[in-house]
Amino acid sequence: LLFTVVLAFLLLNLVKERSELKHKIAATIDPLSGVGNRRAFLDGAERLLHRSSLALEPLAVMVFDLDRFKQVNDLFGHGVGDTVLKIFAATASRILGGAGVFGRIGGEEFAAVVPVADLDDAVSIADRVRREFTAAAADYGHDAFSPSVSAGVVLARDPRQALRDVLAAADAALYRAKSAGRNRVEAGDASTRTPVARAELIAGNRRAHRSREAVNA
């Protein structure tokens, strides 16, 4: 009888732990793309940057944004838009591998922090993501328009630098890629700390840019 009671107690604890783990995982995974959500990305990126600063390993911070994503939804429907997001997430996850952190941080925006050799290596990796995504998503376009992605890339060199500042520098590089015609990778410099006010200005510029895209779509 005692054995039965103990076994039942252990089974109940096991079920409870599995349920808690399931809920914890669900809270960190973006349900559409299957990659980490914004919260998971930020938490993982902070840990990776801290570990890298101790080991003095270079890290690339990348921000990706699908080009003219509104047109994908408008022309082909939200079902196709969701499929395109999944294709990008799968393509980027395969290329970036498991050594870094990758997640969906906005509607059509993704970010990654990955170990690299140098800035040229970082740009090369981001450009491979861009090229292979364009090829993988080609069936979801037409002669006048095909899904593509732009990216901004910087190296995290200063261990004292906040993650939000490095992301702001990558975001500024992404904005340049968008302004230069999209479907390209631009490298930035995060060696100088980016003030919060500057980060907010960049975010405002990007919102205005997206508004213009929506009008011109």
Side-chain angles (χ1 to χ4, degrees):
L1 180 60
L2 178 61
F3 174 78
T4 303
V5 172
V6 172
L7 181 60
F9 179 75
L10 291 175
L11 287 175
L12 285 173
N13 274 346
L14 180 61
V15 170
K16 180 181 178 182
E17 288 177 359
R18 291 184 63 181
S19 177
E20 290 176 350
L21 179 61
K22 182 178 179 181
H23 282 51
K24 184 177 180 180
I25 292 174
T28 60
I29 298 298
D30 175 57
L32 175 61
S33 64
V35 300
N37 58 20
R38 183 180 182 87
R39 171 187 169 187
F41 168 75
L42 292 176
D43 289 347
E46 289 279 11
R47 289 194 298 270
L48 189 57
L49 286 171
H50 177 69
R51 188 166 72 239
S52 175
S53 68
L54 296 177
L56 300 179
E57 295 175 344
L59 285 178
V61 178
M62 308 174 180
V63 179
F64 299 91
D65 191 89
L66 273 62
D67 299 323
R68 298 189 177 94
F69 187 69
K70 183 178 182 298
Q71 285 188 328
V72 176
N73 287 326
D74 290 347
L75 291 172
F76 308 111
H78 288 276
V80 170
D82 290 350
T83 299
V84 170
L85 286 172
K86 293 176 184 177
I87 291 173
F88 177 79
T91 302
S93 295
R94 173 174 53 82
I95 295 171
L96 296 173
V101 180
F102 174 63
R104 183 184 180 195
I105 60 173
E108 65 268 24
E109 190 170 19
F110 296 77
V113 177
V114 294
V116 293
D118 50 33
L119 185 58
D120 288 340
D121 185 33
V123 171
S124 177
I125 293 171
D127 196 58
R128 182 184 170 196
V129 172
R130 179 192 66 81
R131 288 183 285 104
E132 295 197 17
F133 164 68
T134 300
D139 291 341
Y140 296 92
H142 53 59
D143 293 340
F145 170 78
S146 293
S148 64
V149 66
S150 297
V153 181
V154 298
L155 278 189
R157 294 189 180 95
D158 186 350
R160 300 166 300 175
Q161 197 168 28
L163 173 61
R164 62 181 178 182
D165 292 341
V166 184
L167 281 172
D171 205 53
L174 170 62
Y175 183 73
R176 290 197 301 273
K178 292 283 190 179
S179 299
R182 305 178 183 86
N183 193 22
R184 58 188 293 135
V185 177
E186 287 285 341
D189 184 3
S191 59
T192 303
R193 293 188 180 185
T194 305
V196 176
R198 174 60 177 161
E200 292 174 348
L201 176 61
I202 291 169
N205 286 341
R206 291 196 59 214
R207 285 193 295 269
H209 182 68
R210 285 174 175 170
S211 296
R212 291 194 296 272
E213 282 187 341
V215 172
N216 296 327

